[in-house]
Amino acid sequence: MNNQNNKPSQQKIAGALSTLVTLSPLLIILWLFESFIEVNWLWHGFLLYFALGSFGLTRATIKTAKALLAKNTSEAKQLIAPLTLRNTEKLSSLGLSKACIEMHLLQTMQQCFSVAFFYVLWGPYAALTFRLLLEMHYSWNIKLPQFRAFGALVNNLVQILQWLPTRLFVLFIMLGTIGQNSRLFWQLIKKHFFSLNNTISVYALALAIEKKLGGVALYNDTKLRRASFNDSALEPDASSIVHAVKRVNQVLYFSFLCLVFSSALTLVLTLKI
C-alpha cells in the first residue's frame, strides 16, 4: 500500500485506507464474539489486559540505568534499542540517558495512562481502539521519511485522542512539584497547552527532574531537530533515569488512588440514594 513512487496525496489516501482496513475487521470480530461470552466483566478485563502496554518497561528502564552506571554502554544500547525508534548505535551515555527517559515517559503515558483513561470513560473497545491506532502510529511513524505521508492520518488521530489524557498526566506531574517552583513551571509550559504533540509532557518532566530534555535526535540516520526543554539545567545521566521513573510512577499511583476514591464515593452516594 505504501508505494514510495506515488504522490504524497496518494500515500495519504493509502494510509487512511490501510488504517480502516486494519482496524475495522478486528473490532467487528471482537464485538461479535462478545455475544458468546457469558461473563462480560471477564471479557472486558481480558480486552483491557491486551490494550494495556508498558508491562516490564520499568524493569527494562532500570536495567538500562544500571548498565550506564556500570559504564557498560553497549549493554545499555542493546536494552533500549528495541524500545525506541531512535538510532542508538552512535549515542553517548548522555544521549542514551535522555532517550531512555523520554521513551519511558511517552510509552507509559500512551500505553498505560491513556489506555486506562479511555477504558474508564468509554469502555474496553475504546481503549483497544486507541491501542491499535497507537501501534499503527508506532509502525508508520512520520519521523521516518517513508511514512511521512502514509502515516499522517493515524498520527493525527493519535495526537487528537491523547490530547486530553496527556494534559491530565501533566497536571499530575505538576502536582508532584508543589513546593518546587510549581508556579514558575506552569508559566513555562502553559504556552504548549493547546499543541497537538507530546511537547508539554516532556517539558513538564524535564522541569520536575530538573534536567535538560529534548533536542536533536537521530531517526533512520536522519537528524531531527526538536525543541529542547529546561536548557538552564544540567544534562541527564544514569541517576536521572531512576529519578524520572519515580516521577512517572508517582503519577500512575496517584491517578489509581483518585480512581479508587471516586469509585468508592460514587458507590456510597448510590447506596444512600
Side-chain angles (χ1 to χ4, degrees):
M1 293 289 286
N2 186 22
N3 190 340
Q4 295 299 297
N5 295 322
N6 290 338
K7 296 179 181 179
S9 59
Q10 293 174 318
Q11 291 178 30
K12 287 180 180 180
I13 294 171
L17 291 174
S18 298
T19 302
L20 183 64
V21 169
T22 304
L23 190 63
S24 300
L26 289 171
L27 293 176
I28 291 172
I29 291 170
L30 290 172
W31 179 69
L32 291 174
F33 187 75
E34 186 175 1
S35 60
F36 298 100
I37 305 297
E38 293 290 337
V39 187
N40 277 343
W41 66 265
L42 186 61
W43 172 244
H44 290 174
F46 182 76
L47 292 177
L48 176 62
Y49 175 80
F50 279 98
L52 285 170
S54 72
F55 295 115
L57 181 63
T58 297
R59 183 181 300 175
T61 305
I62 295 299
K63 281 185 177 180
T64 304
K66 289 180 178 178
L68 289 173
L69 284 170
K71 308 297 183 183
N72 192 346
T73 55
S74 59
E75 182 184 352
K77 290 176 182 179
Q78 291 176 0
L79 287 167
I80 196 175
L83 302 173
T84 181
L85 194 64
R86 301 183 195 185
N87 297 127
T88 59
E89 296 85 0
K90 300 178 181 179
L91 289 179
S92 63
S93 176
L94 185 152
L96 288 168
S97 298
K98 187 178 292 187
C100 190
I101 290 170
E102 294 176 11
M103 175 274 299
H104 183 84
L105 165 68
L106 297 178
Q107 289 197 21
T108 303
M109 185 176 66
Q110 293 171 339
Q111 298 177 17
C112 185
F113 188 86
S114 295
V115 167
F117 175 85
F118 286 112
Y119 179 82
V120 171
L121 286 187
W122 294 296
Y125 292 102
L128 188 61
T129 299
F130 177 76
R131 180 57 193 276
L132 291 172
L133 287 170
L134 194 61
E135 289 301 320
M136 284 185 271
H137 168 61
Y138 290 157
S139 300
W140 308 333
N141 201 298
I142 62 171
K143 293 185 179 73
L144 301 178
Q146 65 268 32
F147 295 117
R148 194 160 293 153
F150 186 82
L153 175 67
V154 73
N155 173 73
N156 291 336
L157 286 174
V158 168
Q159 298 299 342
I160 291 169
L161 289 172
Q162 73 173 6
W163 186 89
L164 183 56
T166 296
R167 271 64 193 166
L168 186 59
F169 193 93
V170 168
L171 173 62
F172 289 150
I173 291 179
M174 289 293 99
L175 287 175
T177 64
I178 292 176
Q180 187 190 342
N181 297 321
S182 55
R183 182 175 295 181
L184 174 61
F185 291 169
W186 169 246
Q187 293 295 325
L188 291 171
I189 68 171
K190 69 177 183 180
K191 62 182 179 181
H192 301 288
F193 189 82
F194 293 104
S195 58
L196 277 179
N197 52 45
N198 296 309
T199 297
I200 191 171
S201 58
V202 178
Y203 202 168
L205 185 63
L207 294 170
I209 66 173
E210 299 180 330
K211 296 295 179 180
K212 180 179 177 180
L213 295 178
V216 176
L218 193 65
Y219 296 94
N220 199 23
D221 296 324
T222 303
K223 282 187 178 182
L224 181 64
R225 298 193 179 279
R226 311 171 304 157
S228 59
F229 310 111
N230 203 18
D231 289 331
S232 60
L234 297 174
E235 298 281 1
D237 54 16
S239 61
S240 304
I241 298 175
V242 179
H243 189 191
V245 169
K246 289 180 179 179
R247 285 286 189 175
V248 171
N249 287 343
Q250 280 176 1
V251 172
L252 297 182
Y253 299 147
F254 184 73
S255 57
F256 179 74
L257 288 174
C258 288
L259 180 61
V260 170
F261 177 77
S262 60
S263 299
L265 184 61
T266 301
L267 180 62
V268 170
L269 292 175
T270 303
L271 292 174
K272 285 185 177 180
I273 293 173

